[in-house]
């Protein structure tokens, strides 16, 4: 598995009454599985005695359906199958907050939050193309306005 995440945080005070805060993090990760195993004795004292590797004759891959088929007893009949576990994960989160204190103790907040996410079954880590793919994912945007007013007692 290989992963890159780059958090970025900026706080900028234009005046004591007006501030801008930004947080953003692109995150990409890829995992590729190899050496598939069958559990034989999950409570064995030695780790290597808990499983055995599938042989090439027991395991076949269907690229059209992205499924591994297992013929455990080698009778040329599929006993079971499992989906290709390789993955690529693409995530981007971002928040922008503008705060204006229009009266002492009373503020207006403008907030923009964005999220992008996607997964694929490639299993190959490609930082350049993966970051490019991250920028093409349709974003989920949220815009908020919060107004607070301090009542004098």
């Amino acid at each position: 598995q290989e992963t890159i995440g780059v958090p970025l945080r900026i706080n900028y005070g234009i005046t004591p009454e007006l501030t801008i805060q930004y947080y953003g993090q692109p995150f990409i990760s890829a995992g590729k599985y190899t050496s598939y195993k069958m559990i034989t004795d999950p409570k064995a004292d030695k780790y290597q005695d808990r499983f055995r590797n599938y042989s090439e004759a027991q395991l076949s891959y269907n690229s059209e359906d992205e499924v591994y088929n297992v013929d455990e007893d080698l009778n040329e009949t599929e006993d079971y199958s499992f989906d290709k576990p390789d993955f690529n994960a693409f995530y981007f989160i971002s928040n922008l907050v503008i705060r204006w204190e229009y009266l002492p103790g009373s503020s207006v907040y403008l907030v923009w939050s964005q999220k992008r996410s996607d997964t694929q079954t490639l299993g190959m880590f490609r930082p350049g193309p993966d970051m490019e793919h991250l920028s093409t994912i349709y974003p989920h945007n949220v815009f908020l306005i919060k107004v607070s007013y301090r009542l004098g007692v």
Side-chain angles (χ1 to χ4, degrees):
Q1 179 176 344
E2 296 181 70
T3 301
I4 290 179
V6 184
L8 172 66
R9 181 179 303 277
I10 299 171
N11 294 316
Y12 182 64
I14 298 170
T15 68
E17 295 80 25
L18 183 62
T19 61
I20 298 175
Q21 298 174 323
Y22 176 77
Y23 175 81
Q25 181 180 23
F27 175 88
I28 56 174
S29 185
K32 185 162 187 69
Y33 291 82
T34 60
S35 302
Y36 296 102
K37 299 169 179 53
M38 175 190 324
I39 305 253
T40 54
D41 186 2
K43 295 182 179 183
D45 291 334
K46 293 182 180 177
Y47 177 72
Q48 60 271 20
D49 293 339
R50 295 178 186 180
F51 54 83
R52 67 178 170 84
N53 289 343
Y54 288 114
S55 69
E56 285 187 28
Q58 290 177 303
L59 190 64
S60 63
Y61 179 64
N62 179 335
S63 60
E64 186 176 310
D65 296 330
E66 293 189 335
V67 169
Y68 284 94
N69 299 309
V70 180
D71 179 10
E72 193 172 319
D73 51 14
L74 296 172
N75 65 354
E76 298 184 12
T77 303
E78 174 188 323
D79 295 313
Y80 52 91
S81 63
F82 58 92
D83 292 338
K84 176 183 176 184
D86 299 347
F87 68 89
N88 284 63
F90 310 91
Y91 298 98
F92 175 72
I93 56 172
S94 169
N95 291 299
L96 176 69
V97 178
I98 300 172
R99 182 195 60 85
W100 173 44
E101 189 172 350
Y102 61 95
L103 292 172
S106 301
S107 301
V108 173
Y109 295 88
L110 303 173
V111 179
W112 171 38
S113 181
Q114 184 181 92
K115 179 182 129 180
R116 297 170 186 245
S117 64
D118 189 23
T119 58
Q120 296 176 346
T121 59
L122 298 173
M124 296 183 316
F125 188 68
R126 309 160 308 156
D130 287 353
M131 282 295 193
E132 186 176 326
H133 176 70
L134 188 58
S135 69
T136 65
I137 298 169
Y138 189 78
H140 175 76
N141 291 300
V142 175
F143 296 93
L144 300 168
I145 297 174
K146 175 185 173 185
V147 177
S148 65
Y149 179 76
R150 180 172 178 238
L151 298 172
V153 181

